[in-house]
Every structure is written in C-alpha cells, then in structure tokens.
Amino acid sequence: MDFRDSPEEAAFRTEVREWLAENLTGEYAQVGGGAGPADDTSWDIRVEWERLLGKAGWVGMSWPEEYGGRNASIIEQVIFGEEYAKANAPSRVSFFGEGLFAPTLIEFGTEEQKKRFLPKIQLAEELWCQGYSEPNAGSDLANVQTRATLDGDEWVISGQKVWTTFAHYAAWCFAVVRTDPESTGHKGLSYMLVPMDQPGVTIAPLRQMTGSAEFNEVFFDEARTSADMVLGEVNDGWKVAMATLGFERGTAFLAQQLGFQRQLADVIAAAQERGKSDDPVLRQRLAGSYAGVQIMKYNGLRMLTNMVRKGVLGPESSIGKLYWSTWHRDMGEIALDVLGPEGALAAPSPDGEYDLNEFQRYFMFSRSETIYAGSSEIQRNILGERVLGLPREPR
Amino acid sequence: MNFAFSDEQEELRQTVRRFLEDKSPSAEVRRLMETDDGYDPDLWTQMAQQLGLQSLHIPEAYGGQGYSFIELGIVLEEMGRVLLCAPYFSTVVLAADAIMNVGTDAQQGELLPGIASGETIATLAFTEPNGKWDASGIEMEATADGDSYSLSGTKHFVLDGNVATLIVVAARTPGSEGADGVSLFAVHGDAEGLTREALTTMDQTRKQAKLEFSGVSAQLLGSEGAGWDALSKTLDQAAVAISNEMIGGAQFVLDMAVQYAKDRVQFGRPIGSFQAIKHKCADMLLEVESGKSAAYYASWAAAEDNDELPVVASLAKAYCSDAYFHAAAENIQIHGGIGFTWEHDAHLYFKRAKSSEILLGDATYHRELLAQRIGI
Ligand SMILES: Cc1cc2nc3c(=O)[nH]c(=O)nc-3n(C[C@H](O)[C@H](O)[C@H](O)COP(=O)(O)OP(=O)(O)OC[C@H]3O[C@@H](n4cnc5c(N)ncnc54)[C@H](O)[C@@H]3O)c2cc1C
C-alpha cells in the first residue's frame, strides 16, 4: 500500500501539468469543467480544445501505439484525469466516442474498422452518439425493436431511438438493432455503426428539465449503412453492447468523478463567502460530502489496483456507478441550499432564455445520473444478484 | 500508487482469522461477556506468545515487532469480525500509542515491553462524567508533589479500566484550560487511593469502568503540559484503529444478512429475491466496501504518520460508524423475529456497532472535526 507517485508517475504528472499550463489559455481556460458529459455549454470551443488534446496525444492515450495511442496505463489515465480536473480544463466532448465506443471497437473491431474510426475520434473529426434506448427499451434494453435487414451490400434500418445524447453533433451512431426478425430478447441483436448525415435519419431535439436539449429522438426510416459496419458477429451484438456498458460503468466516468472534488471545493467556498459555513447542519452536510468524495477516490484506487494486479475487477468496482451518481446528486442538493434565495432565480442570460447557473446545473444534471448508464435500481439488482449471489427475481 | 495489501499482510490476515475463528466462537463470546473481567487470560497469553499480536506495532527496541498501523488494522478488523472479548484495543491501541506518543525513551523502555509480551494490560483514562471527547472534557487536576504528581477526580467510561494493571491518565495543571496544561501520567492499577468500579455495559463484549482517584500518586509521562498533542494524536490513531475494527464487524453482519436472505423462504421464494431485501443488501455492500476503502487508507496515513492523519482519521471514524450501525440494524430487520432474540448473534453486533460509534466521539462529532480540519 503506497499512495505516492513512483518516479515514473511523478514524471508523467509533471508532463501533463506542463502541457496544460502551456495550452490551457485564453478562451479554453474560460470554459471550465461544467456539469458533466451530458452538458453542451460552450460546445464549439470545447470541440476545438478536443482537437488540440487529440493532436497532443491526450485523446485515446490508453490505445495501442499502432492506432495513435500511448499505451497509457490505467494509473497514467488517473494522473491525467487528476491534473486535468485540477486545472479545471473543459469538460470533454468525446465521452461517447473516446469513452464508450473506442474501447469497444478495440476489443471487438476488425483491423479495418479500427483504422477507419480511431484516428477520427482522436482528432474529434467524427463525434459519436449511443443508440441504445427506445421508447419500449430502457432498463430492459433487450426489448429493442429497431430492425435492420440486408439489402445487397447495405443494411437498411428502421425504428426509433430516444434519449440519444448529442445525436445532433454526431457523425456516427453505435446502435443496438434487431437483425434476426424472428428473435426476441437479447438474441438476434447486432451492434451497428450508422452514419447520421443521410436522408433516412431524422433527429428531433427533446428539451430537458435543464431547459437545454442535449438529448434527442432519432428516427431511422430506411437509413443505410454498409454491410461491414457491424461490430462483432451479426446477431451476436448483445455481448458487444454489454462490453460498452461495462466501460460506461467502469472507467468512462473517471474524468467526471475526478472533477467532483473541484465542484465541491466551489460549493464550500460559496458557503464560506455567504457566511453559511457557520451553520452546524450545513457543516455536517459539507463534511459528509467531503468524506464521500474522498472515499470515491479511495474506492477507485482500490478498484484500479485490483485491476492492474489481478486483471479482474473486485466487488468494489460494481459499486462505483451507484456511489458516484448518488454522491453527486446529494452534492447538487447541498449546492442549491448554499445559494439560498439566489438558487430560486434562473441565471441571467443575454438573450432572455431560460438558463441555469453552475450550481443549478449540478443540481439538475445530477438527476439524470441516477437514471442513465443503468439506473440506481438496476445497479442494486446487479450488486445483489451478481456480487452477493442473491436469487433473481421471478420473471 | 498501489492500494492493496501485500502477500505478507494477506497471510497475516489469514493466520489471525483462523486463530480467532477457533478461539473466539460465538459461545465463547457469550461466556466471556457475562464475566466481570470480560476476557480469557489464557487466550490473552496465547495471543501474545503464539501470534505476537500485542507486540505487533511496538518498536523492536521495546520488545515489539516494529510492524505498522496497516498490520494493526488488519488484526483489529479480524477481531471486529468475531467480537473478540479482550482488552486489546485499550492496551495495544489506546495505552501503547499514548506512551509511544508522549513517553521519553526511558519511559517507553520501562512500560512498552510489558505490553508487548502480554504481561501488562493497560488502558487510557481520559474521559470524565461530562462525557466529552475533547480537551475541555479533562477536568481532573494534577498537583506536583515533589518528584511525583498527585491525581484527584473521576475518570469515566474507561475501557477495561477494571482489569488494567497500567493506566495512562490525562489530567491538567491546576488553573489551565482547554488544550493547554494537559499532561499524561502513568498510574498502577492497584495504586493507593484508586477505587475502580466495573460498569455494566450495554455492549457486554467490551467492558468499561469508573475510576475514582483521591490523591493517587502518578508518574508524569514526557513533559508537563505536552499531553494534549500526544493525546490528540493518540485519539486520531485510535479512530483509525476502531474504524478497521468496525468494518470487520460490518462485513460480518452483511454476510449474515445475505446468507439469511438466501435461505429464508416466504411466499414461496427466498426473501433475497424481493427487491426490498436485495436492495438493502446492495446498499450495505456499498457502504461496507466504502468503509473498507476509508479505513485502509486511514491505516496507511497512520503508518506513514503524515499530515493527512487527522483529516482521514475523522473521515474514517464518521463513515465507518454510520456504515457499521446501518449494516447491523438492517441485519436485524432482514432476520425478522429471530433477529430480535437474545439467542441470535445479531444483537451482539448491533450493540457493538453502537458502542463503537459512541467511543471516541460519534459520526456527528467527527464530521464536525473533519469540517474544522479541512478549514471549513
Ligand atoms: C440525460 C440522459 C441522457 C441519456 N443519453 C442516452 C444516450 O445517449 N443513449 C441512450 O441509448 N440512452 C440514453 N439515455 C437513456 C437511459 O439509458 C435510460 O433512460 C435508462 O436506461 C432508463 O430507461 P427508461 O428511461 O426507459 O426508464 P425505465 O427503464 O422505464 O425505468 C423507470 C423506473 O423504473 C425503474 N426500473 C426499471 N426496471 C426495473 C427493475 N427491473 N427493477 C427495479 N426498478 C426498475 C428504473 O430504475 C426507473 O426508476 C439517457 C438518459 C438521460 C436521462
């Protein structure tokens, strides 16, 4: 047990710190970490920043070198994330591409597919969206009804996806679709890569409780993609889809979690500025929240050490998603209580639109975090059944 | 960066676990908790002679093995699992750490070898009838009396105070206030003028005593007025230690609850297939695993003796107190009627969880300390 950087880790940390100090300037430095991966504030400037990161090799740093990566270890990714969060660098736009799709592609893709897609993810030339959920397939993802049939050397896709975050920015969608028309449940599904810019794809924004519209309905009406745009085997997409969910519940939110410390520090500072930090009840909540975010880090380090040493994730890994989403939601509530009457006013917006201030963003966006990427109830089922071995519910 | 126990540490855990499962089964806990002394002297000797548990983190120069707080934490976690009835926490954690933090080399050489060998049972007497855990609670005065000091007053809630042969006592210079003027003293268990009353404890697996001092002659440890810094550090180390002990108990009640949820059938299905029960278990798992992360990290900070210790000690004590109590309470609920019986062990853990939460200050107290320590 040792929490200090090894000499190599310390050198890497210095490299990251220096790069950020040199490059995180001007407009980039104004953007800040934001409320999380589903918040599209300052989008354009964040895309530019992502390109800069990509050119410097900080996007896809864990990928093998042959695909432009640095083969970075998980510890190096943590160090990068820590320094990135400390510097309050912009929230990343490539959550779906770099965070979810790329690791799945590296595990299941053909050589051609990897060469085709990874460089464009790295340079933010193509952004991605995740086409899983449908009106009747949410937690019960295996109930997907969107269908694809082969027509010569192309798949023809029809159906509807919903809650598709950043579909309007995405060049591509990784979608779970039914390719065996006779099948039900998790059999007969395929993991299909669909270009978004085509006549068969219609994107309709859905306004969220935040006032903004980061997620969308996506309608496929005989949309097309070429026959080789399936990841893994045709009709065997469930396991690929689950691998993506594994990354989503495991490492994809690392950067987000590392940013939480800064968010809480802002909340504490605000409480002190407003003279509220003398209130004994608020002190309890702030200290509890501080304990919570530290423990989140310790849990993460335990998980990563196990992964590195034993190559498998221990039970502490499956608690991660439930833990961080619940913690963040609680912090959002504290943040709003710190604001007091100010919290009841929307943020001043130049064009008179409904807008949120930063604490309101934490408060609201965190409501979605206990729903997406496997709701808290689904996480508890997983913990109960897969980790503790409790009997499944009768279905 | 590496957050895992070494192979050697894992081996220590296995050895201690086997030993305690063999020596401290439920029947033995129940036998000892009904006795006044609350421990088995033969087992105490075996712990010292066969496994060297009392000498673990005492420096080699003083008859110990020179291991760190990480090994000590492992042993306490295992003791917490089986609710070991023994004056280990009072002797090896509270008293030994206080002596190591404040004593001169000569005093450590005089007092520690007895603890390391298992001959001495020791404790720390600092709380008083006012029930406070901070410096303001220390009202007992120490008056200089030639080379020695004389203590008068009452110490309350003293762990294993009835069996300790060596008592480290906190008292203050007359007229001093707060952290100033606090000193630590060594007093013999059967010193003249000391009256000890064994108390009946809610958690019968850990004994307490009330100690009346009337002009008891005492040996000053270290220098006069240097007591609070040493005591405060001792309390931080003890908070780390008890966090590890608590999380051992918490894991055990989680295991109990899960097993029962698999076995007990109602409405034609195991109760663990009902989400109301399953989700309780999932929440317990989350808290137990998180408590472990906090306790282990705190052990590392204590082993390093670094600046983080005060912060992480309060952090771990607050979190593990809540986690253990919650798990122990849910365990009773999941067991239904049988969980409410004297015969079932659920109540032993429930009571130990509460008494451990109270000891050294509860979760609310430690969250406030944490707030102060991080500058809120
Ligand atoms: C901000 C946001 C962004 C999103 N982005 C995307 C995206 O980019 N791509 C995408 O594919 N999806 C996305 N989603 C969708 C998300 O994955 C789903 O909302 C989620 O899977 C839940 O599905 P549902 O909304 O249909 O709710 P339901 O599954 O209908 O759940 C409703 C309630 O029932 C509970 N419930 C359901 N099943 C069980 C059960 N077995 N046991 C106990 N309780 C249960 C749930 O926990 C929940 O509380 C996003 C969602 C949000 C909020």
Side-chain angles (χ1 to χ4, degrees):
Chain A
M1 213 176 277
D2 192 349
F3 296 89
R4 284 167 295 219
D5 285 343
S6 69
E8 299 78 44
E9 288 161 0
F12 181 73
R13 192 182 291 283
T14 310
E15 185 190 341
V16 175
R17 210 175 272 175
E18 285 174 358
W19 188 88
L20 285 168
E22 221 165 277
N23 292 278
L24 185 61
T25 54
E27 264 188 303
Y28 300 138
Q30 309 295 313
V31 174
D39 176 357
D40 74 350
T41 317
S42 316
W43 186 261
D44 294 342
I45 185 87
R46 281 162 61 194
V47 173
E48 259 181 57
W49 167 251
E50 185 79 12
R51 293 197 172 127
L52 196 65
L53 283 175
K55 280 188 199 124
W58 299 120
V59 182
M61 49 188 277
S62 67
W63 304 347
E65 272 162 37
E66 51 189 307
Y67 306 119
R70 301 171 170 239
N71 246 326
S73 70
I74 188 89
I75 305 292
E76 285 171 331
Q77 294 172 61
V78 171
I79 291 173
F80 179 80
E82 282 178 344
E83 294 304 319
Y84 193 87
K86 256 186 232 156
N88 198 14
S91 167
R92 302 282 296 274
V93 295
S94 195
F95 174 80
F96 294 98
E98 190 208 14
L100 301 186
F101 178 63
T104 316
L105 177 63
I106 288 171
E107 194 172 327
F108 291 95
T110 61
E111 198 53 31
E112 274 176 345
Q113 288 170 331
K114 293 180 202 178
K115 291 245 151 74
R116 160 71 186 80
F117 290 117
L118 289 172
K120 299 213 183 277
I121 290 176
Q122 188 166 46
L123 295 179
E125 284 168 9
E126 287 174 349
L127 299 179
W128 284 77
C129 66
Q130 177 178 28
Y132 276 33
S133 304
E134 297 183 1
N136 289 311
S139 301
D140 186 10
L141 178 62
N143 197 36
V144 156
Q145 301 301 330
T146 297
R147 270 151 215 281
T149 44
L150 209 48
D151 173 23
D153 56 2
E154 280 187 334
W155 290 101
V156 181
I157 309 145
S158 291
Q160 185 197 341
K161 295 290 174 184
V162 73
W163 323 128
T164 320
T165 301
F166 299 152
H168 51 306
Y169 295 128
W172 286 83
C173 176
F174 54 95
V176 179
V177 300
R178 199 163 288 287
T179 39
D180 176 356
E182 306 301 318
S183 68
T184 54
H186 61 265
K187 296 200 179 76
L189 298 172
S190 297
Y191 194 98
M192 200 164 281
L193 316 180
V194 187
M196 295 296 281
D197 185 14
Q198 57 167 308
V201 175
T202 310
I203 300 165
L206 288 168
R207 195 173 187 208
Q208 300 157 183
M209 64 181 275
T210 53
S212 49
E214 279 97 346
F215 63 25
N216 304 273
E217 289 178 294
V218 174
F219 299 92
F220 296 118
D221 183 12
E222 302 195 346
R224 290 182 170 258
T225 195
S226 76
D228 56 354
M229 285 299 160
V230 170
L231 211 56
E233 298 297 315
V234 172
N235 292 339
D236 197 20
W238 183 252
K239 96 172 169 226
V240 189
M242 287 303 106
T244 303
L245 284 191
F247 297 119
E248 190 167 23
R249 289 163 196 177
T251 49
F253 285 104
L254 200 63
Q256 147 108 333
Q257 292 178 58
L258 292 167
F260 288 165
Q261 307 227 10
R262 176 192 51 79
Q263 295 182 9
L264 178 62
D266 289 349
V267 173
I268 291 174
Q272 288 173 322
E273 279 160 26
R274 288 167 174 75
K276 292 206 168 176
S277 55
D278 297 337
D279 175 64
V281 177
L282 188 61
R283 294 175 69 76
Q284 286 288 313
R285 293 172 71 198
L286 290 172
S289 188
Y290 178 85
V293 77
Q294 291 300 115
I295 292 172
M296 192 185 306
K297 182 171 94 181
Y298 309 151
N299 279 341
L301 295 176
R302 251 177 94 210
M303 170 184 105
L304 298 180
T305 303
N306 265 329
M307 211 156 99
V308 172
R309 283 166 50 118
K310 302 186 187 149
V312 289
L313 290 170
E316 69 281 356
S317 67
S318 11
I319 65 176
K321 167 66 186 18
L322 179 59
Y323 188 107
W324 73 253
S325 58
T326 310
W327 178 88
H328 199 216
R329 194 178 68 181
D330 294 346
M331 192 214 74
E333 293 176 13
I334 300 173
L336 217 71
D337 292 349
V338 163
L339 286 184
E342 277 174 73
L345 300 180
S349 150
D351 48 11
E353 295 277 317
Y354 180 85
D355 203 358
L356 303 175
N357 66 41
E358 195 164 28
F359 285 10
Q360 287 167 335
R361 272 174 212 285
Y362 303 156
F363 175 64
M364 301 226 187
F365 275 99
S366 61
R367 306 320 291 193
S368 69
E369 293 164 355
T370 51
I371 297 172
Y372 65 58
S375 73
S376 295
E377 291 73 27
I378 296 299
Q379 298 298 336
R380 289 190 179 93
N381 284 347
I382 293 174
L383 290 175
E385 292 169 15
R386 303 218 195 120
V387 180
L388 297 173
L390 290 167
R392 291 171 63 123
E393 283 168 74
R395 290 179 197 226
Chain B
M1 206 297 301
N2 150 31
F3 193 170
F5 294 108
S6 67
D7 292 344
E8 209 187 7
Q9 288 162 343
E10 295 288 5
E11 234 167 80
L12 170 70
R13 180 187 298 286
Q14 290 315 319
T15 306
V16 175
R17 180 167 300 185
R18 276 195 299 271
F19 178 82
L20 292 175
E21 278 175 355
D22 181 36
K23 306 287 181 181
S24 179
S26 168
E28 196 55 14
V29 170
R30 285 168 178 271
R31 181 180 75 79
L32 291 170
M33 75 186 200
E34 301 288 353
T35 64
D36 284 345
D37 289 355
Y39 80 107
D40 174 356
D42 288 342
L43 179 58
W44 183 255
T45 307
Q46 289 171 27
M47 282 164 56
Q49 293 179 351
Q50 290 179 17
L51 299 185
L53 297 184
Q54 286 91 323
S55 63
L56 210 59
H57 81 310
I58 290 173
E60 281 163 306
Y62 304 125
Q65 304 182 62
Y67 283 110
S68 79
F69 255 85
I70 298 178
E71 284 80 11
L72 185 66
I74 290 171
V75 168
L76 283 158
E77 188 180 347
E78 294 305 315
M79 291 177 171
R81 249 180 97 82
V82 298
L83 297 177
L84 176 73
C85 295
Y88 188 84
F89 186 78
S90 47
T91 303
V92 177
V93 178
L94 291 173
D97 283 330
I99 293 165
M100 288 191 270
N101 290 334
V102 79
T104 62
D105 289 349
Q107 289 168 337
Q108 295 190 52
E110 177 196 341
L111 300 173
L112 294 174
I115 291 180
S117 71
E119 277 155 56
T120 305
I121 290 179
T123 192
L124 175 67
F126 79 106
T127 39
E128 302 192 8
N130 61 45
K132 289 187 179 172
W133 301 101
D134 59 17
S136 73
I138 301 169
E139 296 177 38
M140 177 181 277
E141 292 187 343
T143 42
D145 180 9
D147 265 358
S148 149
Y149 285 78
S150 166
L151 305 179
S152 290
T154 306
K155 289 291 171 185
H156 205 358
F157 317 110
V158 181
L159 291 190
D160 303 305
N162 53 325
V163 294
T165 53
L166 166 66
I167 305 171
V168 177
V169 186
R172 60 172 63 254
T173 309
S176 68
E177 249 182 73
D180 292 336
V182 173
S183 306
L184 295 177
F185 301 89
V187 170
H188 202 275
D190 49 21
E192 208 175 310
L194 172 63
T195 318
R196 310 200 266 180
E197 180 194 346
L199 304 168
T200 307
T201 46
M202 178 268 297
D203 161 20
Q204 293 171 287
T205 63
R206 184 136 54 203
K207 303 298 180 185
Q208 297 186 15
K210 188 170 178 178
L211 312 181
E212 299 282 358
F213 294 74
S214 69
V216 175
S217 164
Q219 174 196 5
L220 174 68
L221 295 174
S223 52
E224 188 173 337
W228 179 250
D229 282 351
L231 184 55
S232 169
K233 181 169 174 187
T234 305
L235 296 178
D236 287 342
Q237 291 165 326
V240 174
I242 197 109
S243 297
N244 280 277
E245 193 197 272
M246 287 192 286
I247 219 63
Q251 176 71 58
F252 192 79
V253 290
L254 169 60
D255 293 345
M256 267 168 100
V258 168
Q259 192 57 52
Y260 193 73
K262 290 178 185 173
D263 295 343
R264 172 70 174 166
V265 172
Q266 285 291 278
F267 300 96
R269 36 195 274 222
I271 57 168
S273 69
F274 295 112
Q275 282 194 355
I277 300 293
K278 185 179 291 172
H279 288 189
K280 273 187 198 303
C281 292
D283 286 335
M284 287 158 76
L285 173 71
L286 179 144
E287 290 173 19
V288 169
E289 287 299 330
S290 302
K292 282 183 190 170
S293 297
Y296 299 164
Y297 187 88
S299 289
W300 177 77
E304 293 289 313
D305 197 7
N306 64 22
D307 297 345
E308 273 191 272
L309 175 60
V311 166
V312 296
S314 281
L315 185 159
K317 177 66 170 68
Y319 192 90
C320 294
S321 294
D322 283 346
Y324 190 10
F325 181 74
H326 183 225
E330 293 288 45
N331 184 41
I332 292 181
Q333 182 68 19
I334 290 170
H335 275 81
I338 197 135
F340 193 68
T341 62
W342 187 268
E343 193 189 343
H344 199 279
D345 285 349
H347 75 104
L348 301 181
Y349 286 88
F350 178 79
K351 292 169 183 172
R352 174 63 84 85
K354 195 68 197 173
S355 82
S356 306
E357 181 194 337
I358 294 168
L359 189 67
L360 306 170
D362 64 13
T364 306
Y365 174 81
H366 277 282
R367 271 191 297 272
E368 172 54 34
L369 260 189
L370 175 58
Q372 291 169 21
R373 288 169 167 184
I374 59 173
I376 301 183

